[in-house]
Amino acid sequence: MSPSAPAAVSDRQRHVEDDLLHTVLASFRNTADPRLKELMESLVRHLHGFIRETRLTEDEWQRAVDFLTAAGHITTDHRQEFVLLSDVLGASMQTININHDATAGGTEATVVGPFFVEGSPEIPRGGDMAGGASGEPCWVEGTVTDTDGNPVPGARLEVWEADDDGFYDVQYEEGQLAGRAHLFTDEQGAYTFWGLTPTPYPIPHDGPVGELLAKTGRSPLRASHLHFMATAPGLRTLITHIFVEGDELLSSDAVFGVKESLVKKFERFTAGTPAPDGRELSGGSWSRVRFDIVLQPSQG
Ligand code: BEZ
Ligand code: FE
């Protein structure tokens, strides 16, 4: 008996459905690339399994097609609805899990999100990546080492985050450059910079993915975070973020990006407390966090 067809389906009906599945599978028999063949066959098996298990109606199939069409229409160079869909279905995180073994000893990876852009300004160590973005200043410090504990001098760190209104620079129509920068570790593999204390914000939810979240009673909010991309010769590029200990959204992040090891204590200081580098903070509160990054060896 086919595992995909429910018991209520007659033998004759089951035969018809099995026949079609096998015909479609056989249509890939001449695929030259064995990996493509494996992927297409598995995709067809799972897709037919889904259609048969749910006894999908023609109306539901049409609505799925309409949904994908709407996702295509809203997608531009600056808005990628299909990646958002992958994110909210946990497909992005599951692909990351499979490709970044949690037991391999490096810092854990998480989703890149749609707001990384090339061409961030370089800042010196101790510089300010906020670049005018609003929010509470946050002193970020740490090291980059390899999995043997050796410091990695000259590692490149790209950092980016939303302002305290919940927007990345690229989401403003005026096209500003703020809340992103890159810097390099020193001879001891250490780095410091000023960023912003992360605050929660919603993923773009004015399109079909937002509608799906609303219809399924899910929130578009992401747990507060600060993005990092670390690169160094001979080591595997790491894309990750750090999250804020105590944030109530940690357990309901819209894209399932939170990992326990990435949740960090952001120590808060009241106005007037001297900053680590003596910076004049014009009287406001500030925070401080440590994030030590461990990079795995390059693959292959
Ligand atoms: C982000 O963190 O920037 C993000 C990640 C996934 C979807 C939307 C935004
Ligand atoms: Fe983000």
Side-chain angles (χ1 to χ4, degrees):
M1 181 173 106
S2 158
S4 310
V9 169
S10 69
D11 284 350
R12 161 104 186 90
Q13 175 66 16
R14 183 170 296 114
H15 265 301
V16 170
E17 295 172 14
D18 281 346
D19 268 0
L20 175 62
L21 172 61
H22 292 128
T23 307
V24 178
L25 287 173
S27 75
F28 294 104
R29 76 174 79 78
N30 296 327
T31 309
D33 177 343
R35 177 65 173 159
L36 178 61
K37 183 166 186 283
E38 180 187 357
L39 292 175
M40 291 313 300
E41 287 175 350
S42 178
L43 176 65
V44 164
R45 254 189 236 105
H46 286 273
L47 181 60
H48 281 238
F50 165 75
I51 293 167
R52 297 173 75 183
E53 181 189 305
T54 60
R55 309 313 289 170
L56 196 71
T57 68
E58 288 165 296
D59 181 49
E60 288 163 344
W61 179 245
Q62 185 57 49
R63 284 168 65 185
V65 170
D66 292 345
F67 176 88
L68 293 174
T69 306
H73 284 155
I74 204 171
T75 293
T76 65
D77 286 351
H78 306 291
R79 169 75 182 258
Q80 231 305 354
E81 197 74 359
F82 293 101
V83 175
L84 271 190
L85 179 60
S86 159
D87 292 342
V88 303
L89 294 179
S92 304
M93 272 315 287
Q94 198 65 289
T95 306
I96 289 168
N97 285 342
I98 286 166
N99 287 281
H100 296 259
D101 186 340
T103 62
T107 298
E108 289 194 279
T110 187
V111 284
V112 61
F115 299 121
F116 171 74
V117 290
E118 300 286 349
S120 70
E122 180 175 346
I123 54 168
R125 286 186 288 279
D128 188 359
M129 61 80 90
S134 62
E136 180 187 69
C138 176
W139 176 253
V140 188
E141 61 196 337
T143 54
V144 179
T145 56
D146 64 19
T147 47
D148 294 325
N150 302 306
V152 182
R156 180 182 170 119
L157 296 178
E158 287 276 354
V159 289
W160 67 103
E161 65 178 321
D163 64 20
D164 65 357
D165 287 321
F167 296 109
Y168 286 81
D169 54 358
V170 291
Q171 293 179 285
Y172 287 98
E173 290 197 344
E174 310 83 60
Q176 47 183 304
L177 185 60
R180 67 180 70 245
H182 67 273
L183 69 158
F184 295 90
T185 54
D186 68 13
E187 282 310 302
Q188 284 71 48
Y191 73 89
T192 53
F193 66 89
W194 282 101
L196 300 171
T197 311
T199 47
Y201 68 87
I203 64 169
H205 59 111
D206 56 344
V209 169
E211 205 179 312
L212 177 68
L213 291 178
K215 279 195 172 138
T216 52
R218 285 177 51 181
S219 162
L221 286 175
R222 286 225 59 200
S224 310
H225 60 273
L226 164 59
H227 293 261
F228 280 77
M229 183 189 313
T231 48
L235 296 168
R236 188 169 184 196
T237 295
L238 172 73
I239 296 176
T240 194
H241 355 306
I242 52 172
F243 297 91
V244 180
E245 191 181 276
D247 181 355
E248 60 190 26
L249 293 168
L250 288 173
S251 58
S252 61
D253 184 47
V255 302
F256 310 99
V258 180
K259 290 185 166 174
E260 196 53 46
S261 67
L262 301 174
V263 177
K264 302 294 170 191
K265 185 172 179 53
F266 282 69
E267 222 182 324
R268 308 295 288 277
F269 297 93
T270 49
T273 314
D277 62 348
R279 177 181 171 184
E280 273 302 323
L281 288 165
S282 55
S285 62
W286 56 282
S287 69
R288 177 174 193 158
V289 66
R290 179 164 195 96
F291 181 37
D292 293 323
I293 298 170
V294 180
L295 297 181
Q296 292 174 21
S298 297
Q299 290 188 311

